[in-house]
Amino acid sequence: MSTISISPGSSDHYLGSSECVVVRVDGELDITGLDTFRRALAVALSRTPATIVVDLREARFLSLRNAVALAEAIDEAAVADIEMRLLTRHSQVRRVLEITGAGLRNERMVAARPS
């Protein structure tokens, strides 16, 4: 089970720019959360911020389909000239992002140290 939330971000905390939307994922993002994750990404993109941060630090699992959805959102953001940054903590999540190309599409994937 996962929790997905979207909120205006504290841009000073993340990026130093004035307009930021944060999509946070907590728990296991498996196939049952795919539609919710896609909707959250679509809402973030529709707000046309300067930057979207996808915070996966609390995600313990990311399915391949969710990673592909994220890769597609990264491509959409690039077309719309929106910067997208990924925050990760768990090596399993980073590996799925690398396998699907989402990590390669995003030059700003930041690996946080485990707490």
Side-chain angles (χ1 to χ4, degrees):
M1 180 168 183
S2 64
T3 302
I4 301 169
S5 62
I6 182 168
S7 62
S10 169
S11 58
D12 293 336
H13 176 70
Y14 286 107
L15 308 166
S17 79
S18 62
E19 193 178 350
C20 176
V21 173
V22 179
V23 176
R24 286 186 180 86
V25 177
D26 180 19
E28 296 184 0
L29 191 51
D30 58 19
I31 192 67
T32 62
L34 179 60
D35 289 337
T36 302
F37 187 51
R38 281 190 176 163
R39 277 193 303 273
L41 292 170
V43 167
L45 286 163
S46 73
R47 293 182 182 177
T48 60
T51 304
I52 297 171
V53 174
V54 180
D55 186 348
L56 299 168
R57 291 177 295 177
E58 299 303 319
R60 295 180 304 276
F61 174 80
L62 181 68
S63 74
L64 288 173
R65 287 193 182 179
N66 280 288
V68 168
L70 180 55
E72 291 168 353
I74 291 168
D75 290 344
E76 287 179 46
V79 168
D81 200 29
I82 298 171
E83 180 179 17
M84 189 174 284
R85 293 189 179 194
L86 308 180
L87 299 176
T88 64
R89 174 173 289 140
H90 298 286
S91 60
Q92 300 92 330
V93 171
R94 282 193 306 275
R95 183 69 181 132
V96 170
L97 293 172
E98 291 167 2
I99 288 169
T100 59
L104 298 174
R105 281 179 171 85
N106 189 290
E107 296 173 3
R108 306 229 166 153
M109 185 168 66
V110 178
R113 292 188 178 167
S115 54

